[in-house]
């Protein structure tokens, strides 16, 4: 039996909850742009992301929630360079909450889409490629003007009003 790799691993409710939180976050004064968030069920492979060592490293373990703006501000206060790279949230099973496991991860995914759009920048193209990784549920980029949501090699963009 073949399964399309682009089938979502999140329920519509889970996706709606993440998008709602991202919209709320986008309405707040975010301490840096772009903000790259990765959500996965299981550990993100070191073939897809590698840590960029930071000293000091802000704490991990927090649940992804509406309080993420506070978490980001605290992290930037601890180490201003934390803004560089992706922030990874994982869960063990599809029924669990996402927990912050990594700050400042470099996306190195080598996955390429045959029908990918032309290069729109490293953050965009990296998030699009990473969204196809087996364990990755979705990737999100918050820029000053939009929220981009990447899932299974597809992209949805919401412009800021």
């Amino acid at each position: 039996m073949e399964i399309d790799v682009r089938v979502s691993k999140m329920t519509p409710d889970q996706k709606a909850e993440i998008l709602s939180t991202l919209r709320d976050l986008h309405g707040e004064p975010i301490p840096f742009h772009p903000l790259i968030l990765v959500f996965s069920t299981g550990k993100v492979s070191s073939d897809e992301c590698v840590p960029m060592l930071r000293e000091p490293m802000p704490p991990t373990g927090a649940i992804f929630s509406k309080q993420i703006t506070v978490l980001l501000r605290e992290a930037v206060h601890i180490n201003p360079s934390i803004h560089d790279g992706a922030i990874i949230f994982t869960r063990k099973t599809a029924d669990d909450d996402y927990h912050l496991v990594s700050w400042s991860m470099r996306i190195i995914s080598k996955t390429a889409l045959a029908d990918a759009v032309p290069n729109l920048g490293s953050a965009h193209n990296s998030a699009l490629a990473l969204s196809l990784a087996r364990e990755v549920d979705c990737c999100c980029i918050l820029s000053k003007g939009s929220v981009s949501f990447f899932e299974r090699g597809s992209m949805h963009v919401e412009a800021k009003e």
Side-chain angles (χ1 to χ4, degrees):
M1 174 188 354
E2 287 187 31
I3 298 174
D4 185 356
V5 73
R6 295 184 188 206
V7 172
S8 175
K9 294 190 291 178
M10 294 183 296
T11 67
D13 287 344
Q14 291 168 331
K15 184 175 178 178
E17 185 175 333
I18 288 174
L19 280 169
S20 173
T21 301
L22 292 172
R23 286 182 197 111
D24 290 350
L25 175 60
H26 201 240
E28 297 290 323
I30 302 170
F32 56 88
H33 288 95
L35 175 62
I36 304 169
L37 305 167
V38 177
F39 298 87
S40 71
T41 301
K43 185 178 178 183
V44 176
S45 167
S46 61
D47 290 337
E48 303 290 347
C49 290
V50 294
M52 293 186 282
L53 299 178
R54 304 288 182 217
E55 189 61 43
M57 184 65 78
T60 58
I63 293 175
F64 179 75
S65 71
K66 305 273 185 195
Q67 298 301 313
I68 189 167
T69 305
V70 173
L71 186 70
L72 292 170
R73 285 195 186 107
E74 289 172 356
V76 169
H77 180 69
I78 291 169
N79 188 336
S81 71
I82 205 69
H83 77 278
D84 191 23
I87 303 167
I88 311 290
F89 291 87
T90 67
R91 59 186 181 175
K92 291 182 181 176
T93 72
D95 295 325
D96 294 331
D97 291 324
Y98 289 100
H99 287 81
L100 172 64
V101 295
S102 301
W103 292 99
S104 204
M105 297 293 284
R106 183 182 318 276
I107 298 173
I108 58 170
S109 179
K110 294 174 180 65
T111 305
L113 294 171
D115 57 349
V117 295
N119 190 348
L120 296 175
S122 62
H124 175 277
N125 287 59
S126 295
L128 184 64
L130 185 59
S131 76
L132 284 170
R134 181 179 11 188
E135 65 280 350
V136 172
D137 301 332
C138 67
C139 299
C140 309
I141 299 175
L142 277 69
S143 63
K144 288 184 180 182
S146 65
V147 175
S148 300
F149 187 85
F150 304 85
E151 184 182 27
R152 314 307 324 144
S154 296
M155 181 182 73
H156 169 75
V157 177
E158 294 185 7
K160 190 171 183 176
E161 296 177 12

